[in-house]
């Protein structure tokens, strides 16, 4: 069935609404002088299952449904939402929102359907892709198989979650756009203890805009288990990490969180329109070595950060952020694109109907270079090889960013030697990529676990990169 | 002051949820409901930027079929939704494993007295007045110093809500609460250096908020002080956590003595009850019944009576932080902490902030931390930081792009002093904390 029709049948019909009601709401909203206005209807079904201590301890199911109403005039935004898709409540929300804008000529809006864009994931319901008993069986098998891997495993914790989102966006031109978004994720954490009582933890997970079969194909779930155990055992052997400024080689894939923190946030349109980012007014300038080309791409098939359309109805695209070291452009939603006189880039995202859209990343990664990853390590006399990371954070104004290694090794005389404990790396966004002197030919995208926070709103994102050599960055260990 | 009529309406919905759960075969159930109403107004560069009206609601139910548990929630409070939500929870419970520790709290632990904690002070502020307060706040920041060159604006938030909790042990209670805040964030520029900082005030009662002008000035003052920061050399030195970042150390401690981390053995403070973790002078209390405070609560997320108690006395751990599930796993009793702690107070010493700087003598004052960087299993700690280099008790220059690292177990032992410059804006109330020595990574 056509996505738009399916979404209308999920969001409008059961609540006694049809297109005439949307016309009426838009008419009401547009009796003032607005630059952007939209109605955003959403229903989200979410489930989670968790296992620990060898049992499926709990599960939960949630339904969130509602609508947000927005009007933007110049730089001013009015916003209200309701947890019930109900005409009187929507009219009241519309009244509240209009308060920020001036009275204007009446405009009559005729609803029309939009739908002519590629889709990067199927319109499936992942919650129903396995029977409940099959989900339980998967958890038990994964727990059992993982525990067999090493006698030092003390506990295994697994979480399995799925979301099924329907969104319907009506904008001020009366265009109706819809999307159905599946999302699944599986995480496994193991706790290991050695003969001396030293404990450590390792975690691995992944996910996609797909259904639960994603974890069964090619034994993906069981590979997560193996990887979590491997990381935990490496950490059992880890010594104190070094402190100070040194050469760091970042492994491929998830370490691309570097790009998300150091570059991506600073290139979001709102900060640059307001001139609050360390990258403001720097388009055309060199911000990275000429080995670096960085893109944001919402069009990758089935990736966690991908979207067919953003939350303002703009089709997503591949946006080149940095090309051969030169800053090319910003990530835009409609408001900031209009105020900066550029086209929206399909990066207007919101956590839900209860939040305002903001310019956000989708999948952010660096293109592959020419260097052999082994050659990159061999080129380092003394430094750090960081293979896995936890979270990160950035101050977009000063440009300072951090990201925390969870698996790292010393490089001594061109060889990876001993594992060291996790440590936070800190750098300066506009500078760090100018210190990239080698880029591997091994581009990898992450396994699909990223969640990005901004202004209290969380959205799923992806990152990726090839192996990178950064000539110098500050490593926050304890060993001086 | 409470909103009795509305609370009674919501209690009836909770009652319906519990009745429906029993009807669908649950042997026990717990249900909660909350509604929130609020407004958020922000101003930037002297004019209103956004007006947001918040109005949200949600219900949640947890059912038990013997020792099997399932949960479900919804934003829809209608009778159809109640039936479907309970059904979803029951379906999950049928597939969950038997967990011998699962279940409602023990009946005798549930709260039976409900003193008014004075946490409901609705603020009937007009939108236009909220806008002018936000503008005044931002204006005070922008006019503070010529090096304040840009702004992220000032925001006024006002929220009020009702929470109702009930279970099939005949516990049912609801209360209203409110929370208002104002914040401001501005940028400064001097030469190549661009910095931003912020300040905020939060209270249950809007009359207790700092004035918009004071908040704006503080935000600007913090921004100006950070301009032209530099790295320091990699070294070991004493570190003073300012009060607004010191609460993070205490929350890492609370995480390590929380039931979930203890029974999963993912804590660096396993079997620490009765052990000396801090120096003698460290005392930490939980004060859930403080009037008009941000973390006040008569009962926890399960309805268990909260306790006014010592968590640390003379450096020794007196009790863990447990809900009923983790308590059963550990063979203990709930401490009324399902959902977290309530108004944790660290006994202040005799030193104000300038005396703390003198005690620091020469070392690092940290005023901002970045990233997570705390391993709860091992206590290993490594975070990005910014602050000031201090010599002979006097601030010398701003410092940035450094990390501070150590192990929390050692850091707790190495607490030299706790200031009386308490930050009351959160659920953890502590003054600045001086640590004898940490590793600083810089240039």
């Amino acid at each position: 069935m056509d996505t738009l029709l399916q979404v209308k049948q999920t969001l409008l019909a059961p609540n006694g609404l049809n297109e005439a009601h949307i016309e009426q709401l838009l008419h009401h909203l547009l009796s003032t002088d607005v630059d952007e206005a939209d109605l955003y209807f959403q229903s989200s079904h979410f489930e989670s299952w968790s296992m620990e201590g060898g049992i499926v301890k709990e599960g939960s199911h949630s339904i969130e449904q509602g609508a947000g109403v927005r009007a933007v005039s110049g730089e001013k935004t009015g916003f209200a939402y309701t947890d019930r898709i109900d005409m009187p409540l929507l009219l009241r929300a519309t009244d509240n929102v209009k308060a920020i804008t001036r009275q204007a000529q009446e405009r009559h809006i005729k609803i029309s359907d939009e739908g002519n864009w590629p889709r990067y994931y199927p319109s499936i319901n992942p919650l129903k892709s396995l029977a409940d008993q099959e989900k339980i069986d998967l958890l038990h098998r994964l727990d059992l198989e993982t525990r067999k891997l090493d006698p030092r495993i003390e506990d295994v914790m697994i979480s399995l979650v799925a979301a099924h989102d329907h969104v319907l966006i009506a904008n001020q031109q009366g265009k109706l756009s819809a999307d159905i978004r599946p999302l699944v994720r599986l995480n496994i954490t193991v706790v290991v203890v050695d003969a001396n009582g030293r404990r450590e933890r390792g975690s691995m997970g992944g996910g996609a805009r797909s259904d639960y079969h994603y974890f069964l194909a090619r034994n993906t779930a069981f590979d997560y288990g193996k990887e979590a155990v491997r990381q935990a055992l490496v950490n059992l052997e880890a010594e104190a990490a070094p402190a100070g400024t040194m050469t760091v080689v970042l492994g491929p894939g998830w370490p691309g969180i570097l790009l998300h923190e150091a570059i991506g946030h600073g290139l979001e349109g709102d900060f640059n329109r307001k001139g609050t980012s360390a990258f403001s007014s720097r388009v055309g300038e060199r911000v990275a070595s000429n080995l670096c080309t960085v893109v944001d791409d919402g069009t990758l098939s089935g990736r966690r950060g991908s979207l067919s359309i953003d939350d303002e109805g703009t089709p997503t695209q591949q946006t080149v952020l940095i090309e051969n070291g030169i800053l090319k452009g910003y990530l835009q939603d409609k408001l900031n694109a209009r105020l900066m006189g550029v086209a929206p880039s399909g990066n207007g995202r919101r956590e839900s109907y209860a939040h305002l859209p903001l310019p956000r990343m989708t999948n952010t990664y660096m293109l592959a270079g020419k260097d052999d990853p082994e050659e990159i390590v061999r080129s380092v006399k003394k430094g750090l090889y960081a293979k896995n990371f936890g979270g990160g954070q950035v101050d977009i104004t000063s440009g300072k960013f951090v990201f925390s290694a969870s698996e790292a090794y010393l490089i001594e005389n061109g060889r990876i030697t001993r594992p060291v404990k996790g440590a936070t790396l800190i750098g300066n966004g506009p500078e760090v990529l100018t210190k990239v002197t080698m880029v591997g030919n091994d581009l990898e995208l992450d396994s699909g676990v990223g969640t990005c926070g901004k202004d209290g709103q969380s959205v799923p994102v992806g990152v990726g990169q090839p192996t990178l050599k950064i000539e110098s960055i500050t490593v926050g260990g304890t060993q001086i | 002051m409470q909103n009795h009529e509305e609370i009674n309406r919501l209690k009836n919905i909770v009652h319906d949820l519990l009745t429906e759960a029993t009807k669908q075969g649950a042997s026990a159930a717990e249900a909660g409901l909350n509604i929130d109403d609020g407004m958020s107004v922000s101003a930037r560069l002297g004019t209103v930027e956004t007006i947001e009206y918040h109005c949200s609601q949600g219900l949640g139910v947890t059912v038990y079929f013997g020792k099997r548990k399932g949960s479900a929630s919804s934003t829809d409070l209608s009778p159809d939704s109640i039936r479907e939500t309970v059904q979803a929870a029951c379906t999950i419970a049928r597939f969950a494993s038997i967990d011998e520790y699962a279940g409602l709290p023990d009946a005798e632990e549930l709260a039976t007295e409900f003193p008014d904690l004075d946490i409901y002070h609705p603020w009937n502020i007009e939108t236009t007045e909220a806008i002018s307060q936000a503008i005044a706040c931002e204006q005070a920041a922008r006019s503070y110093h010529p090096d304040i060159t840009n702004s992220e604006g000032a925001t006024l938030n006002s929220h009020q809500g009702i929470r109702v909790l009930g279970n099939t042990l005949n516990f049912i209670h609801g209360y209203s609460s409110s929370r208002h805040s104002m914040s401001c964030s501005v940028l400064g520029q001097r030469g190549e250096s661009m910095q931003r900082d912020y300040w905020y005030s939060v209270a249950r009662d809007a009359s207790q908020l700092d004035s918009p002008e004071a908040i704006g000035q503080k935000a600007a003052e913090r921004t100006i002080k950070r301009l032209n920061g530099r790295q320091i050399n990699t070294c070991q030195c004493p570190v003073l956590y300012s009060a607004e970042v010191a609460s993070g150390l205490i929350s890492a401690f609370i995480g390590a003595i929380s039931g979930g981390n203890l029974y999963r053995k993912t804590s660096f403070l396993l079997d620490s009850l009765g052990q000396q973790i801090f120096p003698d002078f460290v005392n930490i209390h939980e004060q859930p019944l403080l009037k008009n405070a941000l973390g006040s609560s008569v009962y926890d997320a399960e309805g268990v009576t909260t306790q006014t108690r010592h968590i640390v006395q003379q450096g020794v751990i007196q009790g863990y932080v447990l809900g009923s599930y983790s308590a059963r796993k550990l063979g203990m009793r709930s401490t009324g902490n399902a959902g977290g702690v309530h108004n944790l107070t660290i006994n202040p010493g005799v030193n104000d902030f300038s005396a703390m700087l003198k005690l620091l003598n020469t070392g690092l004052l940290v005023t901002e931390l970045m990233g997570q960087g705390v391993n709860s299993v091992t206590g290993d700690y490594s975070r990005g930081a910014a602050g000031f280099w201090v010599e002979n008790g006097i601030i010398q220059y701003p410092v940035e792009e450094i990390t501070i690292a150590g192990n929390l177990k050692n850091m707790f032992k190495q607490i030299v002093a706790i200031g009386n410059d308490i930050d009351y804006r959160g659920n953890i109330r502590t003054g600045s904390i001086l640590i004898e020595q940490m590793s600083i990574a810089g240039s």
Side-chain angles (χ1 to χ4, degrees), chain A residues 52 58 77 83 245 274 424, chain B residues 49 57 69 150 263 382 442:
Chain A
E52 64 177 46
E58 57 192 359
T77 300
D83 285 322
T245 297
K274 296 175 184 175
T424 289
Chain B
E49 187 177 44
Q57 57 181 31
K69 175 186 175 183
N150 200 346
Y263 83 72
S382 166

Side-chain angles (χ1 to χ4, degrees), chain A residues 29 113 147 321:
Chain A
L29 193 57
D113 291 352
R147 283 174 191 271
L321 300 175

Side-chain angles (χ1 to χ4, degrees), chain B residues 164-197:
Chain B
V164 176
L165 180 69
N167 65 29
T168 49
L169 295 172
N170 292 321
F171 178 90
I172 186 155
H173 188 259
Y175 64 93
S176 306
S177 67
S178 59
R179 190 180 173 96
H180 316 288
S181 66
M182 180 169 264
S183 63
C184 182
S185 172
V186 286
L187 281 76
Q189 195 157 8
R190 192 182 296 152
E192 289 289 289
S193 175
M194 186 161 76
Q195 294 286 350
R196 71 169 174 188
D197 212 326

Side-chain angles (χ1 to χ4, degrees), chain B residues 96-318:
Chain B
S97 311
I98 291 173
D99 181 349
E100 58 177 309
Y101 305 103
L104 294 175
D106 297 338
E108 66 272 19
E109 292 180 331
L110 296 169
T112 51
E113 287 169 40
F114 305 97
D116 183 0
L117 297 178
D118 194 29
I119 55 174
Y120 179 54
H121 298 272
W123 190 12
N124 295 317
I125 185 168
E126 291 290 330
T127 307
T128 48
E129 171 58 17
I131 292 170
S132 47
Q133 290 207 17
I135 290 174
C137 179
E138 198 218 19
Q139 181 54 33
R142 291 178 63 213
S143 59
Y144 178 82
H145 193 283
D147 287 343
I148 297 291
T149 52
N150 200 346
S151 168
E152 290 195 322
T155 302
L156 182 148
N157 274 296
S158 175
H159 284 265
Q160 52 177 314
I162 298 175
R163 282 172 219 306
V164 176
L165 180 69
N167 65 29
T168 49
L169 295 172
N170 292 321
F171 178 90
I172 186 155
H173 188 259
Y175 64 93
S176 306
S177 67
S178 59
R179 190 180 173 96
H180 316 288
S181 66
M182 180 169 264
S183 63
C184 182
S185 172
V186 286
L187 281 76
Q189 195 157 8
R190 192 182 296 152
E192 289 289 289
S193 175
M194 186 161 76
Q195 294 286 350
R196 71 169 174 188
D197 212 326
Y198 73 102
W199 195 248
Y200 71 96
S201 177
V202 55
R204 296 286 194 186
D205 180 344
S207 70
Q208 291 164 348
L209 289 175
D210 294 342
S211 75
E213 292 76 15
I215 296 161
Q217 283 164 11
K218 182 89 175 172
E221 181 194 348
R222 288 172 64 89
T223 299
I224 291 295
K225 282 184 173 168
R226 292 179 67 160
L227 287 169
N228 301 107
R230 55 180 125 146
Q231 272 194 323
I232 51 174
N233 288 334
T234 301
C235 68
Q236 292 195 315
C237 71
V239 173
L240 177 61
Y241 284 72
S242 69
E244 66 270 17
V245 295
S247 58
L249 287 177
I250 304 302
S251 70
F253 164 67
I254 292 300
I257 60 160
S258 290
N261 278 328
L262 292 170
Y263 83 72
R264 293 186 184 102
K265 298 194 172 152
T266 50
S267 163
F268 61 95
L269 293 178
L270 296 178
D271 303 318
S272 56
L273 199 60
Q275 305 271 321
Q276 175 130 20
I277 297 300
F278 296 98
D280 287 345
F281 61 84
V282 175
N283 293 286
I284 303 177
H285 313 285
E286 190 177 14
Q287 298 174 294
L289 302 182
L290 283 180
K291 292 272 162 77
N292 198 8
L294 291 165
S296 300
S297 188
V298 176
Y299 50 87
D300 72 2
E302 297 176 307
V304 172
T305 312
T306 54
Q307 301 173 16
T308 298
R309 62 174 183 143
H310 297 286
I311 291 181
V312 172
Q313 213 167 8
Q314 296 186 321
V316 176
I317 297 185
Q318 306 296 313

Side-chain angles (χ1 to χ4, degrees), chain A residues 90-267:
Chain A
L90 283 163
L91 281 167
R92 202 173 75 189
T94 309
D95 269 336
N96 279 334
V97 162
K98 281 165 62 176
I100 200 158
T101 52
R102 292 184 307 276
Q103 284 296 317
Q105 285 276 309
E106 291 222 345
R107 277 185 278 175
H108 283 275
I109 301 303
K110 185 89 189 80
I111 293 292
S112 65
D113 291 352
E114 282 280 290
N116 210 3
W117 56 76
R119 297 185 187 267
Y120 306 113
Y121 34 84
S123 300
I124 43 173
N125 181 354
L127 282 72
K128 303 271 184 217
S129 63
L130 287 181
D132 287 334
Q133 189 58 50
E134 292 174 299
K135 299 169 199 167
I136 304 301
D137 291 345
L138 167 64
L139 290 170
H140 276 292
R141 270 191 295 139
L142 178 54
D143 177 70
L144 218 64
E145 291 300 320
T146 305
R147 283 174 191 271
K148 280 186 198 159
L149 294 173
D150 196 280
R152 289 167 287 182
I153 296 172
E154 194 171 42
D155 201 0
V156 174
M157 293 158 245
I158 309 170
S159 88
L160 180 67
V161 303
H164 186 219
D165 239 2
H166 287 76
V167 304
L168 178 69
I169 306 150
N171 70 11
Q172 78 264 31
Q173 284 95 29
K175 296 261 183 343
L176 279 186
S177 321
D179 199 11
I180 297 175
R181 299 167 178 170
L183 191 65
V184 291
R185 182 173 152 170
L186 187 152
N187 275 74
I188 178 162
T189 297
V190 299
V191 178
V192 294
V193 59
D194 71 10
N196 304 319
R198 177 170 169 181
R199 275 196 179 74
E200 265 294 358
R201 178 168 47 187
S203 294
M204 179 62 193
R209 292 209 179 272
S210 179
D211 66 22
Y212 286 134
H213 292 285
Y214 180 82
F215 302 117
L216 296 168
R218 300 186 302 276
N219 271 334
T220 303
F222 300 92
D223 288 344
Y224 295 162
K226 286 180 193 158
E227 175 61 14
V229 172
R230 189 194 62 76
Q231 285 186 31
L233 295 177
V234 166
N235 283 331
L236 267 188
E237 310 292 324
E239 301 165 12
T245 297
M246 61 196 74
T247 301
V248 173
V249 176
L250 299 175
W254 180 242
I257 188 171
L258 161 83
L259 306 169
H260 179 97
E261 301 297 351
I263 306 294
H265 278 296
L267 297 182

Side-chain angles (χ1 to χ4, degrees), chain A residues 243-244 477-478 480, chain B residues 232-238 363-364 389 403 437-443:
Chain A
T478 53
I480 292 176
Chain B
I232 51 174
N233 288 334
T234 301
C235 68
Q236 292 195 315
C237 71
L364 183 70
W389 185 249
T403 60
Q437 184 168 281
M438 292 182 71
S439 295
I440 318 295
S443 53

